[in-house]
């Protein structure tokens, strides 16, 4: 990506985050996004087919940085600290984008839901840990393994959604303590 593309990506990213903080992303028009970013409408379509898709890409990119920073090349002996670090970092990320995630994870988020995006990302992180043999799951088949990773990912998202309904300032340790009590025994505990 050249410098001009990087600048455009940064402007679009900042614009979609600002607009999605102000009101539901489903209400953001391409014209409004282009105007806020200072780009032409056609440029928006070059980067994403819709404001919702752009928001999901921006948030996923931020989560990818966290995954890479904490979970890549983690051995079994380091799994507990890696999971603890990424869990805290993800909760801080969600809290920093509070208004976006509160709307996007809620039951009334509709087509602008961030649940599927976050679930896919969490499942990808779990698969990375499994592929690296950082953790093991009691699965007898690939289908069982997918069931387990999906169950964990969606359960964690549910906990985050409830946590977001709490008053600010939110304490990151609160959902971590709950997750530590309910996650299975084979999970790297003391996150």
């Amino acid at each position: 990506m050249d410098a001009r593309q990087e600048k455009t990506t940064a402007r679009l990213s900042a614009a979609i985050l600002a607009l999605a903080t102000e009101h539901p992303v489903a209400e953001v028009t391409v014209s409004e996004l282009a105007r806020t970013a200072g780009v032409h409408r056609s440029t928006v379509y070059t980067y994403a087919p819709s404001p919702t898709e752009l928001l999901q890409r921006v948030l996923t990119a931020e989560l990818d940085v966290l995954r890479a920073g904490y979970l890549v090349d983690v051995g079994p002996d380091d799994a507990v600290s890696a999971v603890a670090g990424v869990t805290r970092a993800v909760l801080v990320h969600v809290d920093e984008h509070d208004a976006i995630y509160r709307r996007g994870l809620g039951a009334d988020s509709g087509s602008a839901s961030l649940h599927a995006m976050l679930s896919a990302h969490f499942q990808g992180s779990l698969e990375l840990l499994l592929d690296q043999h950082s953790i093991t799951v009691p699965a007898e088949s690939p289908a069982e393994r997918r069931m387990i990773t999906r169950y964990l990912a969606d359960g964690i998202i549910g906990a985050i959604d409830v946590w977001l309904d709490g008053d600010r300032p939110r304490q990151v340790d609160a959902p971590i303590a709950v997750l530590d009590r309910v996650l299975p025994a084979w999970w790297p505990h003391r996150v």
Side-chain angles (χ1 to χ4, degrees):
M1 188 180 300
D2 66 28
R4 186 172 147 217
Q5 290 172 317
E6 286 179 10
K7 184 177 176 181
T8 301
T9 298
R11 290 167 70 180
L12 284 167
S13 297
I16 194 61
L17 289 172
L19 291 168
T21 298
E22 293 171 13
H23 49 273
V25 70
E27 296 174 9
V28 175
T29 66
V30 171
S31 295
E32 181 183 22
L33 177 56
R35 186 172 46 258
T36 303
V39 299
H40 191 272
R41 281 176 42 99
S42 63
T43 301
V44 173
Y45 289 116
T46 301
Y47 286 83
S50 71
T52 298
E53 178 69 24
L54 179 62
L55 176 63
Q56 291 177 357
R57 288 180 186 181
V58 169
L59 294 173
T60 298
E62 290 183 11
L63 291 166
D64 286 346
V65 170
L66 299 178
R67 178 192 289 157
Y70 287 95
L71 300 182
V72 173
D73 296 327
V74 171
D77 293 340
D78 298 320
V80 171
S81 62
V83 169
V86 78
T87 301
R88 287 181 181 285
V90 167
L91 288 169
V92 168
H93 160 86
V94 168
D95 196 42
E96 287 173 352
H97 298 299
D98 164 76
I100 295 169
Y101 278 106
R102 286 185 69 181
R103 278 191 215 94
L105 292 178
D108 61 348
S109 60
S111 64
S113 175
L114 295 176
H115 185 106
M117 179 273 302
L118 206 50
S119 180
H121 197 276
F122 286 0
Q123 289 174 65
S125 294
L126 291 167
E127 290 292 339
L128 173 66
L129 290 170
L130 290 167
D131 290 345
Q132 294 175 161
H133 306 287
S134 306
I135 61 172
T136 57
V137 297
E140 295 180 12
S141 70
E144 284 187 8
R145 178 174 151 161
R146 287 191 316 274
M147 283 185 229
I148 291 168
T149 59
R150 173 75 183 267
Y151 177 82
L152 288 173
D154 288 344
I156 292 168
I157 293 167
I160 290 171
D161 189 24
V162 171
W163 175 66
L164 282 173
D165 281 339
D167 294 331
R168 293 190 100 186
R170 289 184 201 87
Q171 301 301 314
V172 171
D173 290 332
I176 289 175
V178 171
L179 291 172
D180 198 43
R181 289 194 308 267
V182 300
L183 286 168
W186 51 263
W187 184 254
H189 279 274
R190 298 298 151 213
V191 296

